[in-house]
Amino acid sequence: MSAESKQIEATEFTNPNFEVLYNREQIQTRIQEIGARITGEYGGKELVLVSVLKGSCIFLADLMRSIDLNLTIDFMAVSSYKDGTKSTGDVEILKDLSNPIRGKHVIVVEDIVDTGLTLSRLLEILDSRGAASIKLASFLDKPEPRIKTELKIDYTGFVVPNKFVVGYGLDAAGRYRNLPFIAIVKNLAELVV
Ligand code: 5GP
């Protein structure tokens, strides 16, 4: 790593506008626990992890390596329509799965569930494709703004307050996904994006 990139990294890691909620070690410990649970529950089944791009890519990478089973992965990208800043629940599939999920045991891997509108719609779409089972793993659960209260998260990393968070895959205008921790952005207006 060059001295210049080290400097950029150090600046982001110590940004006073970030309040670290969970650090690298806490995240890894929690993911190992989730992976062990999934390993125990899916033995002998054809398991597919479906990652919803882009935010869940880092969670997927760590989660899949903590599961001691044969599995495959696939990716979807959806755009959720917003009415102002709120999700409306209408989704457009920007990138669909590469392989059919009929007869497979699917775990949808998400970065964060907020209102739950986007994910509810996505689960309906996947449900119509004949999977043997569909469960949901979300790295973060932000329950306060939940509209789809019936949405069940089967595997949750951490429950977070109703604040905007970045890091570990989650972005602000495309940045900060590479931070190895999860942090609350104290002042969104101050964020350099
Ligand atoms: P909803 O559950 O409201 O339909 O939308 C969930 C999506 O909104 C997540 O996949 C994520 O992209 C985005 N989102 C919700 N809360 C946050 C947050 O605190 N930080 C970031 N970076 N994205 C969020």
Side-chain angles (χ1 to χ4, degrees):
M1 189 183 282
S2 70
E4 196 184 329
S5 61
K6 228 178 192 162
Q7 184 55 46
I8 291 168
E9 185 181 60
T11 310
E12 296 299 6
F13 282 18
T14 57
N15 188 330
N17 196 15
F18 294 152
E19 180 194 331
V20 176
L21 274 182
Y22 295 102
N23 65 28
R24 199 193 287 258
E25 288 71 31
Q26 290 167 315
I27 291 172
Q28 290 310 319
T29 302
R30 184 71 190 115
I31 290 177
Q32 292 309 314
E33 290 169 3
I34 298 174
R37 263 188 67 200
I38 293 175
T39 302
E41 290 172 18
Y42 283 83
K45 294 181 175 160
E46 272 206 73
L47 176 60
V48 188
L49 302 182
V50 170
S51 163
V52 187
L53 293 171
K54 298 175 185 167
S56 72
C57 65
I58 297 184
F59 180 40
L60 172 79
D62 283 341
L63 182 64
M64 66 189 281
R65 287 178 292 176
S66 74
I67 300 172
D68 189 13
L69 295 172
N70 284 322
L71 57 81
T72 59
I73 61 169
D74 211 334
F75 296 91
M76 275 188 102
V78 296
S79 101
S80 45
Y81 291 99
K82 298 208 170 186
D83 177 8
T85 56
K86 292 264 174 290
S87 170
T88 61
D90 288 337
V91 306
E92 182 191 0
I93 297 178
L94 302 176
K95 187 226 168 292
D96 209 335
L97 298 174
S98 302
N99 293 301
I101 52 170
R102 180 162 295 281
K104 307 270 175 73
H105 293 271
V106 174
I107 299 179
V108 176
V109 179
E110 253 291 19
D111 54 355
I112 184 166
V113 181
D114 185 332
T115 64
L117 287 167
T118 310
L119 203 57
S120 290
R121 182 69 196 112
L122 184 67
L123 290 173
E124 275 171 23
I125 293 168
L126 292 178
D127 208 29
S128 67
R129 297 185 181 179
S133 69
I134 301 181
K135 285 197 177 182
L136 172 60
S138 185
F139 177 60
L140 300 178
D141 175 10
K142 195 196 276 185
E144 223 179 288
R146 189 73 34 83
I147 292 171
K148 289 282 174 184
T149 48
E150 70 279 13
L151 190 72
K152 180 169 169 263
I153 305 176
D154 301 283
Y155 308 100
T156 305
F158 301 102
V159 177
V160 293
N162 191 11
K163 301 269 170 63
F164 193 78
V165 295
V166 293
Y168 199 74
L170 287 107
D171 73 314
R175 285 187 61 182
Y176 307 113
R177 294 192 198 275
N178 57 325
L179 297 177
F181 50 76
I182 278 286
I184 291 176
V185 179
K186 291 191 240 173
N187 184 345
L188 265 175
E190 257 182 34
L191 212 58
V192 184
V193 290

